[in-house]
């Protein structure tokens, strides 16, 4: 199981130095994510993408559930009231509409969720707006304390901002 640790860097030079130290400590570059103010030049850093900075995953899950439920209800009504062949209910229609509703619901909700900032990062908005850079590192539980100790000793200018018990959903494992 992975854990995510958060650190705030005061500037780009500090963030680049931290990136270098994490790579030297054999942290997979795909597990290091930086986010800063809009338009900041993140050259030399592994910038966070929409999976880390938006509400995409939560929105897609919600859309899947709501879409599947609506599709199932419409499918049951269609199966019972409007059979395609004969007079018997067409249960396959209910299943098909539930699946279709889930797919359409997940897709449409994810289009909305991608434009909504992640609630997990809400507490960092003011610091990022002031020009600080947020570091998110996804680590195996066994490496968390070592990496925290490395960052505390090598980068006193950085500020530890907490840890999540597990990495948010839909993260690939390494």
């Amino acid at each position: 199981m992975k854990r995510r640790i958060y650190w705030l860097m005061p500037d780009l030079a500090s963030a680049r130095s931290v990136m270098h130290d994490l790579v030297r400590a054999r942290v997979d570059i795909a597990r290091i994510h930086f986010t800063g103010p809009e338009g900041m030049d993140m050259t030399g850093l592994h910038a966070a993408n929409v999976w880390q900075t938006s509400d995409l995953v939560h929105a897609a899950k919600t859309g899947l559930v709501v879409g599947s439920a609506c599709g199932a209800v419409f499918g049951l009504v269609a199966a019972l009231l409007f059979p395609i062949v004969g007079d018997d209910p067409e249960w396959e229609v209910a299943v098909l509409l539930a699946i279709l509703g889930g797919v359409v619901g997940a897709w449409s909700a994810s289009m909305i969720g991608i434009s909504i900032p992640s609630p997990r990062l809400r507490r960092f908005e003011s610091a990022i707006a002031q020009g600080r850079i947020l570091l998110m590192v996804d680590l195996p539980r066994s490496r968390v304390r070592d990496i925290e100790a490395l960052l505390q000793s090598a980068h006193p200018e950085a500020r530890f901002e907490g840890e999540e018990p597990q990495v948010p959903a839909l993260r690939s494992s390494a």
Side-chain angles (χ1 to χ4, degrees):
M1 181 181 303
K2 302 243 185 241
R3 297 176 77 84
R4 174 169 286 171
I5 58 174
Y6 295 97
W7 287 78
L8 274 174
M9 308 293 130
D11 53 36
L12 275 170
S14 176
R16 287 185 178 119
S17 178
V18 166
M19 176 78 176
H20 178 72
D21 289 345
L22 289 173
V23 170
R24 280 193 335 185
R26 298 183 188 226
V27 174
D28 183 8
I29 198 165
R31 305 284 169 220
I32 304 168
H33 316 287
F34 288 93
T35 188
E38 184 89 20
M40 177 179 271
D41 177 22
M42 302 289 275
T43 304
L45 301 175
H46 187 252
N49 60 31
V50 296
W51 294 106
Q52 290 92 32
T53 60
S54 73
D55 200 26
L56 176 67
V57 174
H58 177 260
K61 286 180 184 177
T62 303
L64 178 68
V65 170
V66 172
S68 295
C70 290
V73 168
F74 287 120
L76 288 173
V77 170
L80 292 171
L81 299 179
F82 307 106
I84 298 171
V85 178
D87 293 332
D88 293 332
E90 302 279 339
W91 300 117
E92 298 84 9
V93 171
V95 172
L96 181 65
L97 287 178
I99 292 169
L100 185 62
V103 169
V104 170
W107 173 76
S108 59
S110 67
M111 294 298 106
I112 295 167
I114 203 166
S115 65
I116 298 172
S118 172
R120 295 175 185 274
L121 304 183
R122 190 168 291 134
R123 63 187 168 131
F124 304 113
E125 286 176 352
S126 65
I128 292 171
Q130 294 171 3
R132 294 192 187 109
I133 300 166
L134 176 66
L135 164 66
M136 299 172 273
V137 185
D138 302 333
L139 298 164
R141 176 175 268 154
S142 61
R143 296 218 47 213
V144 169
R145 298 296 164 234
D146 293 338
I147 297 301
E148 286 178 0
L150 167 73
L151 293 177
Q152 284 174 341
S153 65
H155 299 280
E157 77 282 4
R159 198 170 77 219
F160 178 69
E161 290 292 332
E163 179 179 328
E164 284 185 344
Q166 73 183 55
V167 175
L170 291 179
R171 303 288 184 247
S172 60
S173 59

